């Protein structure tokens, strides 16, 4: 059984008690579920969820439970409203901004602090491209690129995540002041990665891909991409929790663009509310990705701002807690307008 919150309510106060539920302690309320079970779909009011059995009760509890904030040193990352993670690549070959900050730790850190100044809650530092066909980077080279940037950002007061799948890079970045591990392989590429996260106590982002050990860009045929991504992430979260990581310190990412077609990516964005059933905060990384160009006459990477902002707002509407983006100022402005509209709707 899978539950997808639907029938979002702009005016939850207009409903009787029990007819609407709050999505993950955030700013969205909903009145019904799309219930998928044994290959069939039906709509069930929130008020009737208790009639559907233990699995439904578990999913409902996870979907509606507030997400505990992450206390990270002197910084706190809250999940009661959408926040932005600014992408800071220190690579020569990333698909969007590769080469902009390679071998310039001071310039990269300055760019990261500029993102923080315009509203990024997290600066996500990556030193290896994960685009299709990208060359594998030796772990020492990756750490050499990332660590000086992480050190400068952390010293300046930024909350930093390290975007890596390699245990030695995780260790070096965490020692340099990073607070979060963001792994596109969901701690499966490096056999030591899970142990590093367990021992450090750092929160971790687990991303879905169909073949994490091979780079994440295989192209399987999905029967139902949303359900298959949910099930894969559910199994991965359970495994990481069993290893000793608190579920409240795990974030999930559906992996837009990793081993998915345009149709798959669109279906996943539409199904994002289902992922709250994992009981974890959600990260959405769709900024400047190929799906935008595919929908807009093959717009090049540097001409995908409008589509990126549209996807970020779609994520906010779905209750996503952290939006990983290149264009921080534009996204933050869009979210502030969205937040103003929500505040007004909820206080009428």
């Amino acid at each position: 059984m899978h539950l997808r919150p639907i029938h979002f309510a702009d005016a939850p106060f207009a409903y009787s008690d029990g007819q609407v539920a709050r999505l993950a302690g955030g700013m969205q309320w909903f009145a019904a579920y799309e219930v998928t079970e044994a290959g069939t779909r039906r709509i069930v009011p929130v008020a009737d969820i208790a009639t559907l059995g233990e699995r439904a009760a578990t999913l409902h509890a996870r979907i509606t439970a507030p997400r505990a904030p992450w206390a990270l040193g002197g910084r706190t990352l809250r999940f009661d409203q959408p926040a932005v993670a600014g992408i800071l690549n220190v690579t020569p070959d990333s698909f969007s901004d590769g080469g902009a900050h390679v071998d310039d730790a001071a310039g990269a850190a300055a760019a990261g602090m500029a993102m923080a100044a315009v509203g990024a809650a997290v600066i996500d530092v990556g030193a290896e491209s994960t685009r299709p066909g990208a060359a594998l980077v030796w772990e020492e080279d990756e750490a050499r690129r990332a660590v000086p940037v992480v050190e400068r950002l952390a010293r300046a007061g930024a909350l930093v995540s390290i975007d890596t799948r390699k245990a030695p890079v995780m260790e070096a970045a965490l020692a340099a002041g990073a607070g979060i591990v963001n792994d596109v392989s969901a701690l499966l590429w490096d056999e030591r990665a899970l142990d590093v996260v367990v021992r450090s106590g750092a929160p971790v982002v687990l991303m879905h891909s169909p073949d994490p050990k091979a780079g994440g860009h295989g192209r399987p045929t999905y029967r139902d991409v949303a359900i298959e991504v949910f099930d894969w992430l559910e199994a991965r979260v359970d495994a990481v929790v069993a290893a000793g990581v608190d579920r409240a310190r795990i974030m999930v990412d559906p992996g837009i663009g990793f081993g998915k077609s345009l149709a798959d990516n669109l279906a996943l964005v539409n199904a994002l509310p289902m992922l709250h059933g994992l009981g974890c905060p959600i990260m959405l990384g769709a900024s400047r990705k190929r799906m935008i160009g595919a929908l807009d006459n093959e717009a090049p990477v540097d001409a995908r701002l409008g589509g990126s902002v549209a996807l970020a707002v779609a994520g906010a509407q779905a209750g996503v807690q952290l939006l990983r983006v290149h264009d921080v100022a534009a996204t933050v402005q869009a979210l502030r307008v969205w937040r103003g509209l929500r505040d007004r709707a909820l206080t009428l």
Side-chain angles (χ1 to χ4, degrees), residues 93-95 128-137 165 214-215 217:
D93 59 347
S94 289
F95 85 97
E128 179 185 49
S129 175
T130 53
R131 63 177 174 78
L136 180 66
V137 177
R165 54 189 175 168
H217 289 288

Side-chain angles (χ1 to χ4, degrees), residues 18 30 32 38 48 81 121 137 163 184 191 207 213 220 222 229 281 292 294 302 326 339:
F30 64 99
D48 294 344
Q81 59 181 292
V137 177
D163 178 3
V184 298
E191 292 180 358
M207 193 196 80
K213 280 190 169 291
Y222 299 97
V229 167
I292 301 169
D302 61 358
H326 298 86
R339 167 73 189 266

Side-chain angles (χ1 to χ4, degrees), residues 174-259:
L174 291 169
I180 302 166
V181 171
N182 178 16
D183 185 357
V184 298
S185 77
L187 304 177
L188 288 168
W189 193 85
D190 188 322
E191 292 180 358
R192 287 187 53 240
L194 178 56
D195 181 60
V196 170
V197 170
V198 172
R199 286 189 293 103
S200 70
V204 63
V205 183
L206 305 177
M207 193 196 80
H208 170 271
S209 70
D211 55 352
K213 280 190 169 291
H217 289 288
R219 292 299 291 270
T221 299
Y222 299 97
R223 295 183 62 183
D224 188 317
V225 66
I227 286 176
E228 290 176 53
V229 167
F230 182 100
D231 289 348
W232 190 95
L233 285 170
E234 185 174 35
R236 194 66 199 129
V237 168
D238 288 346
V240 173
V241 169
V245 179
D246 189 337
R247 181 182 290 267
R249 304 281 276 182
I250 298 172
M251 182 176 288
V252 295
D253 180 338
I256 298 297
F258 282 78

Side-chain angles (χ1 to χ4, degrees), residues 4-243:
R4 179 169 71 95
I6 58 173
H7 295 179
F8 284 83
D10 283 337
F13 45 79
Y15 291 76
S16 301
D17 288 347
Q19 289 187 314
V20 292
R22 191 174 182 181
L23 185 63
M27 301 184 70
Q28 298 289 72
W29 295 72
F30 64 99
Y33 285 110
E34 179 189 72
V35 179
T36 304
E37 187 176 22
T40 66
R41 286 181 166 84
R42 65 191 190 277
I43 294 174
V44 175
V46 163
D48 294 344
I49 198 66
T51 67
L52 299 185
E54 184 177 349
R55 169 69 171 173
T58 297
L59 292 173
H60 176 68
R62 290 177 178 173
I63 287 167
T64 57
R67 304 298 182 244
W70 288 352
L72 302 162
R75 303 294 302 273
T76 299
L77 183 60
R78 294 172 49 186
F79 299 123
D80 55 347
Q81 59 181 292
V84 166
I87 298 169
L88 183 59
N89 289 319
V90 286
T91 64
D93 59 347
S94 289
F95 85 97
S96 177
D97 55 355
H101 304 297
V102 69
D103 296 327
D104 180 12
M113 291 310 298
M115 293 180 190
V118 295
V122 178
I123 308 302
D124 189 44
V125 177
E128 179 185 49
S129 175
T130 53
R131 63 177 174 78
L136 180 66
V137 177
W138 185 36
E139 61 196 31
E140 291 193 16
D141 285 341
E142 186 179 341
R144 177 185 54 79
R145 293 173 182 171
V147 167
V149 181
V150 171
E151 286 177 337
R152 286 170 167 81
L153 289 170
R155 194 162 56 241
L159 177 53
V160 182
S161 60
I162 180 64
D163 178 3
T164 185
R165 54 189 175 168
K166 300 185 180 75
V169 182
M170 294 175 191
E171 289 173 318
L174 291 169
I180 302 166
V181 171
N182 178 16
D183 185 357
V184 298
S185 77
L187 304 177
L188 288 168
W189 193 85
D190 188 322
E191 292 180 358
R192 287 187 53 240
L194 178 56
D195 181 60
V196 170
V197 170
V198 172
R199 286 189 293 103
S200 70
V204 63
V205 183
L206 305 177
M207 193 196 80
H208 170 271
S209 70
D211 55 352
K213 280 190 169 291
H217 289 288
R219 292 299 291 270
T221 299
Y222 299 97
R223 295 183 62 183
D224 188 317
V225 66
I227 286 176
E228 290 176 53
V229 167
F230 182 100
D231 289 348
W232 190 95
L233 285 170
E234 185 174 35
R236 194 66 199 129
V237 168
D238 288 346
V240 173
V241 169

